Amino acid sequence: PAAAARLAKAALKSGRTCAMSGTLLEQARNLHEDLEILEKAMYRELGDPATAHLKRVDEVARDQVVATLLDAHTQRAKRLAAVYEDGDGARREEIQAMSGSTVFSAFYDQLKLLRDYHRKHNIAPPSEVYERELLVDVLEGANEQTFTGEEAEGRYLDMHALHEAYINLKGVDKETDYASYLKAAAQLANVPKPTALTSGYVRYVKSLRDYWEGFLTRTQPLLPLADILTKATAAFDERWAKGEFTRWQGGGAEKENGGDPISLEGVSSAAELEVHGLEKLKAELAAQQERHRAVMASLKASSDGWFVDRAAADTADGQAKQADKPSDKANRVAEGMNHFLQFCIFPRCVFSPADAVFCAKFVHHTHAQGTPFFSTLQYYDKLLRDISVHIFACTERQAQNLGRFLNESLKLLIHWKSGEEVYRNECAKLPGFSTSFINQQANAKKASYEDFVKVVFKWYCKVLKALMACLDSKEYMEVRNALHVLTRIIEVFPGMRKLCEHLERKVDVLRSEERKDLQIQASQYYSMLQKAKPKLLTQDQFCCGVPMKSDGGAAESAAAAADGKKEGAPAAAAAADPKTP
């Protein structure tokens, strides 16, 4: 461009010397001088007849130069205004020092100081060289305004990235081509309201605004964009106060959409929900809480029929056709628990990470609401009895989800075992911990806290035995799946130091496995074990001081309990055993 070429030729190799004196009057003189130089430079650029018919590219470059000079002029004008405003009174004191009976002597003293200052800093009178130095300093310190290839030096928009973001929004036409998008990009009111309420759309609109503002700043640098946006914002606020935006302030559009619920898809922080407004969020929370209460009430009302005695249910009057032995009824109820695990829990808990957590939470709720004929003890006994069968039957992804499910399930056991008060409040009063599964009366005998601690220890031993068997397997997928499960239950298992030692030795062998993927996975779990070691408990700590009948140590107790060769928790184990009335 012509302006840039002329300024480049005028550039000097040496930098400009600062010419600022310690006196405010000299600073003001210096600023006046700079303002005049900048004003002349802007006049030359805009008033030069040679620039009257520039090409678009050169015109944009000229305007960018003038905008840079104008910014420098504005900054110096503000500094000069601050000097004249004299907020601290320093300028007034400086003028008063040169007044009075000694005005001439004070004047010549100041003149001498000024000459000394100029001589010391080699400050020459205003000249063409000084002017060039100032302009070069101003233009070299400016941010370079560039364009992409698609923008062609400011002739076209480059909104391809925004187009891609738009077609990936929920609820918009995915077939919208780039040309159609450019025509409709500014028609934000045509975007479906459910889409406009998503966090992804908010991010898209912010990106669109930033691009348009940046493009205008680069192509029309002399446009008073800040003033235009300020006026537009004030006009919008005025119309909003009058309630003219019926789409967002109630009215027909709101009724037409029926109060669309807030979509949480893509929301990563609470700040992204602020766009909906506090009242909308409060209303949504109240609706969600009401919905939750309705669902919980529905589950409670229907839970009586979830686990029923089929022999009794088949008769019209609720009485069995013939007298049943207690063991027959217990077996029927146990069979119902098998069906619950086989058809409800196991198929879903391996489906996805969310389903794995949901299954564990659903079982917890089933227990907490006191569902008739649901034995929590029996459920956990059947679940943890031999998990190696389920590990063997899983794909790699299913094994990962099974690990998440077991982690949530074992976490709940650890919580109930954490203290007698917790157990008394959350377990001992509910039918899931009855020692006799046939007797569903509220006063039926429940497993004691000591019995529960013993049976949890027994279940941990069973889990250890099952996982050790998987790690010993010759089947590649069984070993790999076992490692997937172990890495996802590290938070709650092995829990005890002795159990950890058994796992550590077994996994250490796998670290030298010929198959590299197993070797890497085993090394990863081994490192996780080392990190978890300081937090592991002794057998006595894990059992909360409840004595075990085995005195051979945790490892021997684990092996014996896992094989069922020693007594652990008579009452709780009896309740979990389907063969016991």
Side-chain angles (χ1 to χ4, degrees), residues 51-361:
T51 64
H53 303 286
L54 291 174
K55 293 181 179 180
R56 175 59 180 162
V57 174
D58 292 338
E59 185 181 351
V60 170
R62 181 202 64 190
D63 289 351
Q64 290 180 352
V65 169
V66 173
T68 302
L69 296 173
L70 184 59
D71 287 342
H73 185 280
T74 302
Q75 293 172 7
R76 283 165 173 77
K78 290 180 179 178
R79 285 159 52 190
L80 182 59
V83 171
Y84 282 118
E85 287 173 1
D86 196 22
D88 57 358
R91 182 172 177 272
R92 184 174 62 255
E93 292 176 2
E94 190 172 307
I95 294 175
Q96 289 175 352
M98 293 188 295
S99 61
S101 58
T102 59
V103 60
F104 288 104
S105 61
F107 169 78
Y108 285 110
D109 288 342
Q110 289 289 338
L111 180 60
K112 182 179 182 300
L113 290 174
L114 189 60
R115 285 174 175 172
D116 293 341
Y117 180 84
H118 279 243
R119 191 180 301 109
K120 178 180 179 182
H121 293 281
N122 295 322
I123 300 176
S127 64
E128 185 179 352
V129 174
Y130 175 82
E131 179 179 340
R132 288 175 181 175
E133 287 182 352
L134 173 62
L135 296 179
V136 169
D137 282 351
V138 169
L139 292 174
E140 284 185 346
N143 293 327
E144 185 180 2
Q145 303 290 349
T146 58
F147 296 96
T148 66
E150 292 287 341
E151 289 172 334
E153 298 296 335
R155 286 183 291 174
Y156 307 109
L157 293 169
D158 180 9
M159 297 174 59
H160 287 84
L162 291 165
H163 171 243
E164 184 177 349
Y166 175 80
I167 61 176
N168 282 304
L169 293 174
K170 179 182 178 182
V172 302
D173 184 6
K174 307 298 182 184
E175 303 300 325
T176 304
D177 58 31
Y178 184 62
S180 301
Y181 167 72
L182 288 178
K183 295 177 182 178
Q187 307 301 322
L188 301 180
N190 295 336
V191 176
K193 188 173 180 181
T195 300
L197 289 172
T198 62
S199 60
Y201 181 76
V202 174
R203 289 192 294 270
Y204 160 75
V205 170
K206 288 180 179 178
S207 300
L208 184 65
R209 179 200 63 193
D210 293 342
Y211 175 75
W212 280 347
E213 288 184 9
F215 187 79
L216 282 173
T217 301
R218 287 178 291 143
T219 56
Q220 302 182 51
L222 298 180
L223 184 73
L225 185 59
D227 294 339
I228 293 174
L229 292 176
T230 300
K231 293 178 181 178
T233 302
F236 172 83
D237 291 340
E238 183 179 350
R239 293 184 62 189
W240 182 272
K242 295 178 180 178
E244 295 182 11
F245 298 99
T246 55
R247 189 188 191 201
W248 301 104
Q249 296 176 288
E254 184 71 23
K255 294 176 182 177
E256 182 180 334
N257 285 277
D260 300 316
I262 296 174
S263 173
L264 297 180
E265 182 178 352
V267 175
S268 58
S269 67
E272 295 181 13
L273 293 173
E274 293 179 358
V275 67
H276 300 287
L278 183 60
E279 295 304 319
K280 175 67 174 176
L281 291 173
K282 286 182 177 180
E284 190 81 4
L285 176 61
Q288 174 65 17
Q289 290 173 335
E290 181 59 32
R291 175 64 178 165
H292 179 265
R293 283 192 291 268
V295 171
M296 293 298 104
S298 176
L299 289 175
K300 179 64 177 177
S302 63
S303 63
D304 290 348
W306 292 356
F307 302 91
V308 296
D309 183 356
R310 284 296 166 200
D314 287 340
T315 62
D317 58 359
Q319 299 293 327
K321 294 181 180 179
Q322 59 183 10
D324 281 339
K325 296 179 180 179
S327 59
D328 293 337
K329 186 172 183 179
N331 288 336
R332 285 198 305 273
V333 175
E335 189 64 21
M337 184 61 68
N338 289 336
H339 290 164
F340 175 64
L341 285 163
Q342 181 180 355
F343 298 111
C344 298
I345 298 298
F346 287 132
R348 184 163 184 179
C349 73
V350 297
F351 191 72
S352 72
D355 287 299
V357 176
F358 171 81
C359 287
K361 299 294 184 183

Side-chain angles (χ1 to χ4, degrees), residues 470-481 483 507 509-523:
C470 291
L471 294 177
D472 275 333
S473 174
K474 301 300 181 182
E475 293 289 339
Y476 162 79
M477 284 303 298
E478 189 171 5
V479 178
R480 186 172 178 82
N481 287 349
L483 289 172
V507 174
V509 175
L510 292 175
R511 292 169 67 195
S512 57
E513 169 68 41
E514 294 180 356
R515 290 166 288 194
K516 289 295 182 183
D517 54 340
L518 287 183
Q519 182 184 119
I520 293 172
Q521 201 172 353
S523 298

Side-chain angles (χ1 to χ4, degrees), residues 9 18 41 110 115 160 220 366 369 395-397 424 434 472 528 531 535 572:
K9 291 178 181 179
C18 178
Q110 289 289 338
R115 285 174 175 172
H160 287 84
Q220 302 182 51
T366 302
Q369 70 179 4
T395 65
E396 185 175 356
R397 186 177 297 276
R424 185 161 50 249
S434 296
D472 275 333
M528 295 172 72
K531 187 176 180 180
K535 299 179 182 179

Side-chain angles (χ1 to χ4, degrees), residues 16-64:
R16 179 178 175 234
T17 304
C18 178
M20 294 298 291
S21 170
T23 65
L24 291 176
L25 294 177
E26 176 65 11
Q27 291 180 27
R29 185 203 63 78
N30 230 346
L31 289 170
H32 275 294
E33 184 180 298
D34 288 355
L35 290 177
E36 289 180 5
I37 293 172
L38 293 170
E39 288 169 3
K40 289 178 182 179
M42 287 188 283
Y43 174 76
R44 285 196 299 267
E45 292 300 326
L46 295 175
D48 188 350
T51 64
H53 303 286
L54 291 174
K55 293 181 179 180
R56 175 59 180 162
V57 174
D58 292 338
E59 185 181 351
V60 170
R62 181 202 64 190
D63 289 351
Q64 290 180 352

